[in-house]
Amino acid sequence: MAMTSRDQARTPVGVRGWQDDKNDIFGVRYLAYFESGHLDPMSDQLYFDEHDTSPLTLQLAGYNHGSCVGALRVSFTQLHGLSARLPCESHFCEIGDVASYKSVEISKLAVNPEITNLSFRTTLYATLVRAALIAAEAANCERIVISTKGDWVRFYEAMLGAKVIGTPAFYPPGNVPISMLQLPIGEARRRQKLQNGFFKYDGSDVDDMGRKIHAAVLATTHVSHASRPHEVSAANAAPGL
């Protein structure tokens, strides 16, 4: 994909609930995980799991020239009067105390492998993580939990001040050990202010994200649960971030 000078700025980020069409998001996720060797071939080339059907799980989609090229999943414990468990809770016993807070789990970071421009890939990763921080602020979360492959741990430690929880574990039914990290929202807020201008955000960004989240959750609560997508089979699924 050819990149223009405008691509070096933040890419637009959309918010989608489970009732929205997310095939482009699940397609990007499949390509990223398949190309990295973490997924077996799947005929529909869409990768999603049961957590993607939760009313409190939203997808952040990054765009380039109108097409979805990156995605990140955010799952909340409390939102607009609804409550749910974090996807990671049943797999990491060390998460117990963190889960008692109003929290958000960040997972399933993916960028289309056809994008080979390293500068733009880095920009897209950072844009999605920044959007997740803004979503945590907009939802008044107290804690951020991150599930990630080992090679991303240092990024989250350096950029956000996140701390590893326990030891890496298999986030079933995947074949890659996943690390869990957590940090209070106050630490994330302090760290982003210390970063360069790219990571900074203000009240208008939080308000805009809050409106997007509200619209996604409000639409979700008016859709029958019977219309949820089918879950991916255990044989084909992969873990975490």
Side-chain angles (χ1 to χ4, degrees), residues 175-195:
N175 59 357
V176 178
I178 295 298
S179 296
M180 298 301 303
L181 299 91
Q182 67 90 16
L183 70 157
I185 189 66
E187 177 63 14
R189 191 180 297 129
R190 187 184 74 83
R191 284 297 186 108
Q192 70 88 15
K193 290 180 179 178
L194 296 176
Q195 301 299 338

Side-chain angles (χ1 to χ4, degrees), residues 31-60:
L31 289 174
Y33 279 73
F34 178 73
E35 288 295 323
S36 62
H38 300 319
L39 275 184
D40 294 327
M42 300 166 65
S43 59
D44 59 5
Q45 297 191 350
L46 302 175
Y47 171 37
F48 57 90
D49 61 31
E50 69 273 16
H51 301 298
D52 292 304
T53 70
S54 168
L56 297 193
T57 289
L58 304 176
Q59 310 292 336
L60 303 178

Side-chain angles (χ1 to χ4, degrees), residues 112-190:
N112 191 323
E114 294 179 5
I115 296 177
T116 57
N117 182 307
L118 182 59
S119 176
F120 182 62
R121 287 184 67 87
T122 301
T123 296
L124 187 53
Y125 282 130
T127 296
L128 290 166
V129 172
R130 174 182 178 272
L133 293 180
I134 297 173
E137 289 272 18
N140 296 313
C141 291
E142 300 170 293
R143 296 274 174 152
I144 297 173
V145 178
I146 303 163
S147 61
T148 181
K149 294 179 292 186
D151 48 0
W152 279 96
V153 168
R154 292 186 63 184
F155 168 81
Y156 286 113
E157 289 177 329
M159 296 302 291
L160 303 182
K163 304 295 184 183
V164 173
I165 305 172
T167 58
F170 290 97
Y171 198 148
N175 59 357
V176 178
I178 295 298
S179 296
M180 298 301 303
L181 299 91
Q182 67 90 16
L183 70 157
I185 189 66
E187 177 63 14
R189 191 180 297 129
R190 187 184 74 83

Side-chain angles (χ1 to χ4, degrees), residues 89 91-99 164-169 180 182:
E89 282 190 50
H91 309 308
F92 292 86
C93 59
E94 298 92 348
I95 196 123
D97 183 56
V98 175
V164 173
I165 305 172
T167 58
M180 298 301 303
Q182 67 90 16

